[in-house]
Amino acid sequence: MPGSSGAGPESKPDDPPPTRTIVRAGRTVAFTVLGDPRGTPILAAHGSPGSRYQLLPLHEEARTAGVRIIALDRPGVGGTSAAKRSHRASDTRFGGAAALDAVAVLDALGVAQATALGFSGGAGYALELARSFPSRIARVVLACGMVPGAPRAALARRIPIVSTLYTVARFAPLLATAMLDGRGPFRSTRAANTAAWPAADRAVMADAAVQETLAADREASASNGSRPAVEDLRITRRSYPLQEVHQPVTLLHGSADGNVPIGVARWAAATLPNAQLIELPQLGHYFAVTHPGVVISALTAGGATAAR
């Protein structure tokens, strides 16, 4: 059974849920459970960068709706040990250790089947879980998902600095890591490009309460550096067999998203065998923060998935 750090007597009601761990193949896998601990199981894949705490803004809505969000740190992120090179996602189209870790956590929690939720750069991981483990993943929900293999035309409206980061990640990963870490000359890069983001996202960036909620995610995602996120950016450029994902896929996407343009979601919805696209007018990349109910509604729309 998974271990737990325990909330402890000093915990406050607004503290993040405790980190829990399992050991798989000699490695530590860290995860947390958001929402209702006995609710309908959702297996969440965080963005790039991100961590098990990235979906904290969904916590209260999920608890009210009877939804249990099982959120893992991917290999090399936060509290999860790095994977051996032969088992990294870059070798297996988002599979490898990340997928095996996720299934091991489901096993440890006694969950027979779940919905996979992919946020932003976690889209490829959610899709790969569905493709590789069809008996364990009943359906997929992608929120502002960077679906791998998107054609250049679908990315035409992306914010220039984001496009630059993807290009640098492909050809100079160490430099891209410094960009994401905000080191050296890149210390002020994000602040200097804030105006390029849509108004909805700028409001989230400027909201002190939201940033306080997300502090745990920033700390966990930065604890081992940004190299795992850079690897995600690299493999997202590669082609991916979307036609082999046969479960229902719901794509939630803001029409004003400049990080992952709406063209990506439209292309993916037209390519996947069984997909529904819900476009959110005037919303940006961070709509899950300001409109968590939209995500929770999509997760519950397909009915409950089974838990042993």
Side-chain angles (χ1 to χ4, degrees):
M1 290 297 293
S4 171
S5 66
E10 300 301 320
S11 292
K12 297 178 293 186
D14 56 351
D15 280 345
T19 296
R20 305 169 69 175
T21 61
I22 63 169
V23 176
R24 189 191 73 79
R27 297 170 45 255
T28 297
V29 179
F31 68 99
T32 193
V33 177
L34 306 174
D36 181 352
R38 298 179 179 83
T40 301
I42 308 297
L43 186 59
H46 61 73
S48 309
S51 76
R52 64 193 180 278
Y53 288 129
Q54 190 167 51
L55 296 179
L56 267 173
L58 302 182
H59 182 44
E60 293 302 328
E61 290 265 1
R63 180 156 51 191
T64 300
V67 169
R68 171 176 32 157
I69 300 177
I70 304 160
L72 287 74
D73 284 339
R74 286 198 288 274
V77 175
T80 295
S81 305
K84 296 179 181 178
R85 184 169 184 82
S86 60
H87 293 95
R88 291 177 184 168
S90 56
D91 300 321
T92 53
R93 283 177 172 159
F94 296 95
L100 294 173
D101 289 351
V103 171
V105 169
L106 291 183
D107 290 342
L109 294 176
V111 175
Q113 193 176 62
T115 291
L117 169 63
F119 177 78
S120 190
Y125 290 94
L127 291 168
E128 181 59 24
L129 277 166
R131 187 179 81 95
S132 295
F133 299 95
S135 67
R136 307 302 298 271
I137 303 299
R139 51 192 292 268
V140 178
V141 174
L142 303 181
C144 58
M146 183 56 235
V147 181
R152 187 179 300 273
L155 300 166
R157 294 173 54 197
R158 189 153 64 182
I159 295 169
I161 189 62
V162 177
S163 292
T164 299
L165 178 60
Y166 274 85
T167 300
V168 174
R170 184 179 182 187
F171 297 106
L174 292 179
L175 184 59
T177 301
M179 291 176 69
L180 275 181
D181 285 343
R183 289 186 274 115
F186 305 110
R187 189 172 293 110
S188 60
T189 299
R190 183 183 178 104
N193 287 272
T194 299
W197 292 70
D201 286 340
R202 293 199 304 273
V204 172
M205 295 175 185
D207 190 315
V210 168
Q211 295 309 313
E212 183 177 0
T213 298
L214 294 174
D217 174 59
R218 288 195 298 273
E219 180 179 353
S221 63
S223 61
N224 298 321
S226 298
R227 187 58 187 266
V230 169
E231 289 301 313
D232 287 350
L233 302 186
R234 284 163 58 85
I235 61 175
T236 296
R237 295 289 300 268
R238 301 177 185 175
S239 63
Y240 184 84
L242 294 181
Q243 69 279 5
E244 296 179 12
V245 179
H246 299 290
Q247 295 94 321
V249 179
T250 299
L251 299 102
L252 307 173
H253 219 96
S255 65
D257 194 335
N259 188 319
V260 181
I262 187 66
V264 173
R266 291 170 179 166
W267 161 78
T271 306
L272 287 158
N274 186 4
Q276 173 194 21
L277 170 59
I278 300 175
E279 296 192 21
L280 308 172
Q282 304 305 312
L283 296 186
H285 196 64
Y286 302 135
F287 68 82
V289 174
T290 55
H291 296 72
V294 171
V295 182
I296 299 303
S297 294
L299 292 172
T300 57
T305 49
R308 284 200 296 267

